[in-house]
Amino acid sequence: MIRKGWFMTLSILMVCTLVLSGCSGKSETMKVKIGEVTRSVFYAPQYVAMEKGFFEDQGLEVELQTTFGGDKTMTALLSGGIDVALVGSETSIYVYQQGAEDPVINFGQLTQTDGTFLMARESPGAFEWDQLKGKVFLGQRKGGMPQMAGEFALRGKGIDPRQDLELIQNIDFANIASAYASGTGEYVQLFEPQASIFEQEGKGKVVASFGVESGHLPYTVFMTKESYMNENADTVQRFTNALYQAQQWVNTHSPEEVAEVIMPFFKDTDPEIVISSVKRYMEQGTYATDPIVDDQEWNNLLDVMEQAGELKERVAAEEIVNNRFAEQAKRSGE
């Protein structure tokens, strides 16, 4: 009898433990590997989500790596080296155009404008776009979003990048800044904080913003393979929830506050440079305030790609954009 009573007591305790653990709201921590196309203040909300613990609050353990270039980032995603890519939406279109059986799906927009600035090695007087004609322009990789948005903006100013400039495009993305610093090009297209660093060092002056000139588009978006999304829908939702929380935090805080939070990702950069970089992006509305990719932005992206000659046919947003997670995150966060 004593033994039977002990067994019943133990069984009850085990059941209670299971019930309590199930009711605690705790769930297994999910690991997510992110590949960012470059390290830039341009991606401030992502770093805020990590530093403020928003991913952790959603039960996610995030591992971030910099994959340096859209082609390398997409290769890492398709091969399974990363789970989620932070890269330009044009890369998902390229994969779709190739007839991928497992297409790449955009689910969370981070930036809504181009993030590059036009830097002049010498800037005599007020800048006029015609000053670029006949000059050596150090551009970005052909087919990449920075180059296409840059060309879109130039054409809007009456400049044919193929005829009016000496355009250099044979330098790897990661080496563009060092090539300019060593004397290549009279003009260059740069992200922050590199543009502000060069200004501080007297290597040039920012004279225009390609983000302002090319309009709103899904410039940098979190994306994943359709198979991963189908198999890990809850993880994608939690990821998007954290992203939206970070976007709202950035939208309601000053450049100084944002810079202070993201400084661990820019340890070798002057804090004042980080502040000025964040301020530039905030003033031109670069950071998206929610993760939704809207139709107007998508169509502008297609216009940019079409003008660049990189689009086989216009791809409807519903083919490779899934706003369900973003819309749910926004509803939950309001």
Side-chain angles (χ1 to χ4, degrees), residues 156-173:
K157 297 297 180 179
I159 298 172
D160 186 333
R162 303 295 164 181
Q163 301 293 327
D164 297 334
L165 305 170
E166 183 182 335
L167 184 61
I168 299 175
Q169 287 184 285
N170 61 348
I171 297 175
D172 189 70
F173 178 83

Side-chain angles (χ1 to χ4, degrees), residues 216-252:
H216 279 196
L217 66 168
Y219 197 87
T220 323
V221 179
F222 287 106
M223 58 188 72
T224 189
K225 291 188 292 187
E226 186 174 55
S227 58
Y228 181 90
M229 180 174 287
N230 291 339
E231 295 166 8
N232 302 277
D234 181 59
T235 297
V236 174
Q237 185 62 67
R238 286 190 273 165
F239 188 101
T240 313
N241 293 346
L243 169 60
Y244 178 62
Q245 189 176 0
Q247 290 174 316
Q248 289 297 292
W249 192 95
V250 169
N251 192 46
T252 55

Side-chain angles (χ1 to χ4, degrees), residues 237-238 240-241 244 291-292 323-334:
Q237 185 62 67
R238 286 190 273 165
T240 313
N241 293 346
Y244 178 62
I292 296 171
N323 280 321
R324 174 169 62 92
F325 303 99
E327 290 166 349
Q328 178 59 42
K330 191 173 180 181
R331 284 193 298 269
S332 300
E334 290 178 346

Side-chain angles (χ1 to χ4, degrees), residues 93-94 97 142-144 148 304-312:
I93 292 177
Y94 293 146
Q97 288 183 155
K142 184 181 185 301
M148 291 191 293
V304 169
M305 295 183 68
E306 200 166 45
Q307 197 177 93
E310 299 291 346
L311 196 63
K312 292 180 180 179

